[in-house]
Amino acid sequence: MDLIKINDNKLKIMLSATDMHSFALDADHMDYTNSKTREAFRHILEEARDRTGFDAKGNQIYVQLYPSRGGGCEMFVTKLGVVCALGEESSPPSKETSQQKATAALPRPKPGPQADRHHTVAFMFDAMEHLLCVCRRLRGREFGGLSEAWHGEEGKYYLLLSERGGARRSMLFDRTLLCLLGEYGLQQNADTVRLYIREHARPICEEDAIGRLAAL
């Protein structure tokens, strides 16, 4: 097991296939409600504390998991309550952990024109019904930003929300809004999602997804 303390709030964990076997973990079927899985993860965090000084005790945490070739995985553990900004270190407030199996660990792309102009939030949903519910509720809140929806080849649905140029950023930073979205799906790294959908998803609505899908 390799550990990298990125900062006081974020830790990278790299587990080999042998490590996964010793902890009785399966990256493709990770059940965070299972007591054995939680116990294994507790041991991993204890070792991380002893080796790196990263101490998550007393903190709610957010886990991003990326299965790797050969049966291992990479995990990013972020302490909540300390990290408040959205983006790479953000998290859905109502979820303790999440599993991102659809995308591999990818380098952060260079920001394009749209990324320069807009702050983006991305969420993943298991079912179209969840996506439609979110769009209806966001329309009810009069969300005025940009929105696009995609269907991934693995069956997941993705919603990306961005600010309009010159618009106030407050709504995308509103914890109440994030809690609402977190009731239906899991927040994702927006840059990673954009890389993924370029090759592995088809557009449902590339413009005004909220307005169009809320009407269905």
Side-chain angles (χ1 to χ4, degrees), residues 171-186:
M171 193 162 191
L172 286 181
F173 280 84
D174 182 5
R175 267 188 99 70
T176 302
L177 175 67
L178 294 179
C179 284
L180 182 155
L181 293 170
E183 292 176 10
Y184 297 91
L186 295 174

Side-chain angles (χ1 to χ4, degrees), residues 40-93:
F41 196 67
R42 210 162 16 242
H43 286 312
I44 292 172
L45 288 181
E46 287 174 357
E47 184 169 346
R49 180 193 60 202
D50 295 339
R51 288 170 52 182
T52 70
F54 181 87
D55 189 0
K57 187 175 182 180
N59 286 269
Q60 188 182 15
I61 59 173
Y62 172 53
V63 179
Q64 296 167 287
L65 186 150
Y66 302 89
S68 56
R69 294 178 181 177
C73 76
E74 291 186 350
M75 287 189 283
F76 292 87
V77 180
T78 305
K79 297 184 205 176
L80 300 185
V82 178
V83 178
C84 296
L86 296 179
E88 185 182 34
E89 297 184 350
S90 61
S91 61

Side-chain angles (χ1 to χ4, degrees), residues 26-203:
D26 183 347
D28 292 322
H29 302 90
M30 192 75 76
D31 181 5
Y32 295 105
T33 64
N34 183 280
S35 59
K36 292 183 178 179
T37 299
R38 297 176 74 89
E39 181 66 22
F41 196 67
R42 210 162 16 242
H43 286 312
I44 292 172
L45 288 181
E46 287 174 357
E47 184 169 346
R49 180 193 60 202
D50 295 339
R51 288 170 52 182
T52 70
F54 181 87
D55 189 0
K57 187 175 182 180
N59 286 269
Q60 188 182 15
I61 59 173
Y62 172 53
V63 179
Q64 296 167 287
L65 186 150
Y66 302 89
S68 56
R69 294 178 181 177
C73 76
E74 291 186 350
M75 287 189 283
F76 292 87
V77 180
T78 305
K79 297 184 205 176
L80 300 185
V82 178
V83 178
C84 296
L86 296 179
E88 185 182 34
E89 297 184 350
S90 61
S91 61
S94 60
K95 302 289 183 180
E96 179 183 29
T97 56
S98 77
Q99 182 177 8
Q100 294 180 319
K101 300 190 295 183
T103 55
L106 295 171
R108 181 180 292 276
K110 295 181 180 179
Q114 180 168 340
D116 288 337
R117 293 195 306 269
H118 308 302
H119 175 81
T120 301
V121 173
F123 271 79
M124 179 180 73
F125 305 92
D126 290 330
M128 183 67 171
E129 177 185 356
H130 299 161
L131 173 62
L132 295 178
C133 286
V134 164
C135 289
R136 291 172 189 138
R137 296 189 67 175
L138 287 175
R139 183 178 65 173
R141 285 172 168 260
E142 298 183 348
F143 177 77
L146 305 174
S147 58
E148 54 187 287
W150 298 74
H151 187 205
E153 62 184 18
E154 87 294 357
K156 304 293 185 180
Y157 295 85
Y158 298 88
L159 179 66
L160 292 95
L161 306 175
S162 303
E163 305 156 353
R164 291 186 183 276
R168 291 185 300 111
R169 304 198 319 171
S170 58
M171 193 162 191
L172 286 181
F173 280 84
D174 182 5
R175 267 188 99 70
T176 302
L177 175 67
L178 294 179
C179 284
L180 182 155
L181 293 170
E183 292 176 10
Y184 297 91
L186 295 174
Q187 189 172 350
Q188 310 290 295
N189 180 286
D191 291 334
T192 304
V193 168
R194 287 204 181 280
L195 285 172
Y196 171 73
I197 62 177
R198 287 176 190 172
E199 297 183 4
H200 302 287
R202 61 178 180 81

